[in-house]
Amino acid sequence: MRSRDGLSREEQDHLDEMRIACPDIASACDLARVFAGLVRDRRGHLLADWVREAETNGPGPVRGFAGFLRQDWDAVLAGITLTYSSGVVEGHVNRLRRSSGRCTDEDLSDSSAPVSCCDRDRHEIPPRPKISEPHHRGGHCSAT
């Protein structure tokens, strides 16, 4: 999110007009700004308060987003609070996989797309097993 300080005077005036004209936009902007701060500053201890506020006072899409956060609460909280990251490793893997065409080989099948040796040799992660009865938090299900 861009800081309001980085906006031109005209952009600030336009944003103020939109916020006045539509309270949902104002609420969504405020909640998004607070959420971005929680993530950026790793203030996971405030996440529960943010989710309650979003579910109570946010517009529909923000309420939905807050509800999705609840579905995998432990992972979301860990992602916001812990400093562990696999980003560097993933960056190196992607760099190696896309290295200037050295991993490309002609596909012998009917497909016209070339096969990358990296794709061919990559081990696939097995899909999650199907669970017969879904586990729901909150006592209601939005699935049909």
Side-chain angles (χ1 to χ4, degrees), residues 6-127:
L7 299 177
S8 70
R9 186 68 207 148
E10 182 179 322
E11 290 171 323
Q12 287 181 10
D13 291 344
H14 186 65
L15 180 59
D16 289 339
E17 290 172 13
M18 302 295 346
R19 290 175 63 92
I20 291 168
C22 184
D24 280 352
I25 288 177
S27 175
C29 287
D30 294 341
L31 287 165
R33 192 169 309 282
V34 171
F35 184 78
L38 292 177
V39 172
R40 183 178 43 251
D41 300 331
R42 297 194 180 276
R43 292 182 290 168
H45 64 281
L46 299 174
L47 183 62
D49 293 335
W50 183 90
V51 168
R52 279 192 291 277
E53 178 69 21
E55 288 178 333
T56 303
N57 298 321
V62 177
R63 284 193 314 266
F65 174 70
F68 282 117
L69 293 179
R70 284 187 184 275
Q71 290 180 3
D72 202 1
W73 186 255
D74 292 336
V76 172
L77 193 57
I80 290 178
T81 57
L82 300 178
T83 57
Y84 300 107
S85 172
S86 63
V88 173
V89 173
E90 290 175 17
H92 288 304
V93 169
N94 287 334
R95 179 179 53 81
L96 291 171
R97 292 186 69 217
R98 297 172 192 206
S99 61
S100 61
R102 286 178 278 170
C103 273
T104 307
D105 190 7
E106 291 300 317
D107 184 6
L108 300 176
S109 71
D110 294 349
S111 173
S112 61
V115 172
S116 165
C117 63
C118 298
D119 289 338
R120 187 175 53 236
D121 297 335
R122 181 180 46 171
H123 297 286
E124 294 295 325
I125 299 172

